[in-house]
Amino acid sequence: MTASPHALLAATFAPGETAVPATRRFTREVMTAWAVAGAVLTVAEQVAGELAGQVVDEPFEVIWKHFGDGVQVELRQRTAPHGDPKAPSIEVEEWGITFAGDSRVHWARLTLPGSADRTTPEWAEESAHGPHWLGFLADASDLLAGTLDPDMVPAIIAQIVVPRLSGWCAVYTAGTLAGPMRLAYLWHADEARIDGLREQLGQVSVADTQVTTTVQLADWQVLAVPLTARGRGLGMMCLGRTDRFPDDVVRFAADIARRAALAMDNARLYAEQAAANRALQRSLLPPNEPEVPGLDYGVVYEPAGEVNEVGGDFYDLFAAEDSWRFAIGDVCGTGPEAAAVTGLARHTLRLLAREGYGVAAVLGRLNQAILEEGERARFLTLIHGDITPVETGLEVRLVSAGHPEALRLKPNGVVETVTTPQSLLGVFPEVVFEADTLHLDHGDVLLAVTDGVTERRNGGRLLDDEGGLARMLAECVGLSARAVAERIRRGAEDFAPEPSADDLAILVLRAR
């Protein structure tokens, strides 16, 4: 295949059960964007799915190329599968295997009926008045809405309009400071001409304007369309053709620019919110992992919200006045409201512990602090304890305030409950807490989890029904604290096929 493609769209997929349906779905989106329908669309989906079904256990890339008279799918992977590659079960123009560097490419080409290597201007002018343009715009919207990565939107914009509206497309994005916009993505129907075009565009300063304009650049007629969303200029979409832009194409370009700008702004807002959530979440977790004499510990923390939304679960391990303190808690709800209570709890625990308050006294004062929040108050379940290393292991005092019971695992496989249930925090102002005392011999393990583990649901069953968590812990004899935490996490994940709708935190303390 020596001819340069008119257009190219690519995506990377993970191996596994979702590989084939994901490849078929991507193929359908590509064919729709290129206005390929009917029998060719069906064949393209089937061929791409069959190629994906032959991949080995590693990520692979699917590349669709449009040559005007046909389309070609390429499946690129570094590791070649065992055995000979299989030909598509359905008739194609041609197929084969090629090698590019250390990658193997399994490809197949399909002929487009009635096509005769049409140029981009001919394609656009023939189709401008056709009713399928409405479908094209709808499919363009779907492709743009399908990503929330700000860096991917310019690439999608360019590959939507080339070669349908223009021979090439350059997408510029506005910086944070006044000045020329930066070239975010450039695509040409002839891939070999991209570098030369980039040099030409490098000599041009693109200004942020709210007006669609047409300018001449060497042999190209350039249509510059602003990308504006919610009253804010986000950049510029520049289209290049060797001939005049028909009025219909200008209107379609403006429509696509409007949709693209909205997708770009949504992706920007999503990324900013995700970054803010991650920063807030980090501020609510321990800043470091302290070294505690005689203690091996492991933690797992997984917020369930989208974009790592701030969760209501938290844990902590820190030095107090003459001992070490630990905590694992669960605030009712997620998001900023729960984070406010999480921050209050974590900082109150640390402050009062370092002033010498015992674990029961700390919880009493934290309960009052939560109640004083008034309408902003949230219920909180919590296990808080202190650890004192001794010659025979660890002395532990702890309080369980409405939290799932903590469990101790002995080296002989015996599991027992070690906490007395007491009132959760943020409900009763008069509650008085009392600490339980236990001794962890060398090799003993103390496990504390949030209800994201114990209440993991599979149909009508919960993970901790009939002592499910204790049975899981009994299988962890001889494991390190980190290995125990991971074993419990994996057990919770495997218990139900659907992703968890609740945050999850696991704290494991093991006496060395």
Side-chain angles (χ1 to χ4, degrees):
M1 185 67 61
T2 57
S4 297
H6 292 186
L8 180 152
L9 286 170
T12 301
F13 301 94
E17 295 180 357
T18 63
V20 172
T23 299
R24 292 175 64 95
R25 184 166 55 252
F26 171 67
T27 297
R28 186 165 56 253
E29 292 172 350
V30 171
M31 295 299 110
T32 302
W34 288 344
V36 176
V40 178
L41 171 58
T42 302
V43 171
E45 282 190 59
Q46 180 173 337
V47 170
E50 290 178 1
L51 297 188
Q54 299 182 47
V55 301
V56 296
D57 191 20
E58 71 169 31
F60 61 95
E61 185 178 24
V62 176
I63 305 165
W64 273 102
K65 296 180 179 180
H66 198 302
F67 291 93
D69 62 340
V71 292
Q72 178 169 302
V73 60
E74 299 178 359
L75 191 145
R76 186 182 303 265
Q77 192 175 29
R78 289 186 178 275
T79 302
H82 300 294
D84 296 330
K86 297 178 181 178
S89 63
I90 195 168
E91 184 178 354
V92 297
E93 180 182 346
E94 56 181 328
W95 73 278
I97 302 291
T98 56
F99 292 87
D102 59 352
S103 298
R104 196 197 77 158
V105 181
H106 192 178
W107 58 271
R109 179 166 179 174
L110 310 176
T111 301
L112 294 178
S115 58
D117 198 21
R118 293 173 292 185
T119 63
T120 297
E122 290 171 341
W123 189 357
E125 289 179 8
E126 287 175 12
S127 307
H129 300 283
H132 64 273
W133 274 102
L134 295 177
F136 168 64
L137 291 175
D139 294 329
S141 295
D142 290 341
L143 288 171
L144 289 166
T147 180
L148 289 172
D149 182 350
D151 295 330
M152 283 295 297
V153 177
I156 294 174
I157 294 171
Q159 296 193 32
I160 284 175
V161 300
V162 176
R164 201 62 184 270
L165 301 183
S166 61
W168 58 264
C169 175
V171 180
Y172 293 82
T173 55
T176 56
L177 301 175
M181 292 183 289
R182 71 175 186 89
L183 179 61
Y185 194 84
L186 176 63
W187 187 247
H188 197 297
D190 184 352
E191 204 172 345
R193 301 179 63 181
I194 291 179
D195 291 340
L197 178 59
R198 191 185 303 277
E199 291 182 8
Q200 284 184 298
L201 294 175
Q203 303 172 11
V204 179
S205 178
V206 177
D208 187 3
T209 175
Q210 304 302 308
V211 180
T212 299
T213 58
T214 304
V215 297
Q216 193 73 30
L217 175 65
D219 297 331
W220 298 100
Q221 185 82 2
V222 179
L223 179 68
V225 187
L227 299 172
T228 305
R230 301 181 177 98
R232 179 173 178 266
L234 303 177
M236 189 74 65
M237 178 180 73
C238 295
L239 311 180
R241 292 169 59 113
T242 56
D243 62 341
R244 183 186 65 84
F245 279 89
D247 292 342
D248 286 339
V249 171
V250 174
R251 286 197 298 272
F252 285 126
D255 200 338
I256 289 176
R258 177 180 58 80
R259 300 165 192 243
L262 185 59
M264 187 180 294
D265 199 42
N266 287 339
R268 177 185 62 83
L269 293 173
Y270 183 89
E272 290 176 355
Q273 182 62 53
N277 282 341
R278 287 191 295 268
L280 179 55
Q281 191 68 73
R282 285 194 299 269
S283 73
L284 299 175
L285 297 176
N288 50 45
E289 296 187 355
E291 289 290 335
V292 182
L295 176 68
D296 171 30
Y297 69 92
V299 295
V300 169
Y301 177 77
E302 294 182 352
E306 303 224 352
V307 297
N308 291 327
E309 180 181 321
V310 178
D313 290 8
F314 69 97
Y315 69 92
D316 207 352
L317 180 63
F318 59 94
E321 187 177 48
D322 55 0
S323 64
W324 298 84
R325 295 291 180 95
F326 67 92
I328 182 169
D330 184 359
V331 178
C332 176
T334 60
E337 295 82 3
V341 178
T342 299
L344 172 66
R346 183 167 171 271
H347 293 298
T348 300
L349 291 174
R350 285 183 168 239
L351 176 63
L352 294 178
R354 287 168 180 166
E355 290 186 356
Y357 287 89
V359 291
V362 166
L363 263 64
R365 284 160 176 77
L366 176 57
N367 185 54
Q368 286 299 125
I370 294 175
L371 290 170
E372 289 171 3
E373 290 291 296
E375 294 182 356
R376 296 182 300 175
R378 293 293 184 97
F379 301 148
L380 167 65
T381 70
L382 178 70
I383 290 180
H384 177 47
D386 67 5
I387 305 168
T388 303
V390 295
E391 186 175 344
T392 57
L394 300 173
E395 292 292 339
V396 180
R397 292 185 299 275
L398 71 167
V399 178
S400 178
H403 203 78
E405 297 174 331
L407 302 175
R408 174 171 58 185
L409 170 66
K410 303 292 289 183
N412 61 3
V414 173
V415 176
E416 56 188 342
T417 301
V418 294
T419 51
T420 302
Q422 299 180 57
S423 173
L424 74 167
L425 304 173
V427 181
F428 305 111
E430 304 86 3
V431 65
V432 176
F433 295 97
E434 296 183 2
D436 295 306
T437 302
L438 71 146
H439 180 80
L440 295 181
D441 294 321
H442 298 297
D444 285 0
V445 172
L446 180 66
L447 170 67
V449 302
T450 58
D451 61 8
V453 175
T454 56
E455 296 183 6
R456 183 85 159 107
R457 182 176 294 277
N458 186 344
R461 295 175 54 241
L462 300 181
L463 183 147
D464 201 31
D465 284 348
E466 300 178 354
L469 180 60
R471 290 195 303 273
M472 193 180 298
L473 179 60
E475 299 172 356
C476 299
V477 172
L479 299 181
S480 68
R482 292 182 183 275
V484 173
E486 177 58 28
R487 172 67 182 85
I488 301 301
R489 183 205 65 79
R490 190 171 65 251
E493 181 181 283
D494 294 344
F495 182 75
E498 298 82 11
S500 176
D502 198 1
D503 307 320
L504 176 149
I506 301 169
L507 176 64
V508 178
L509 308 177
R510 178 178 177 272
R512 293 183 185 275

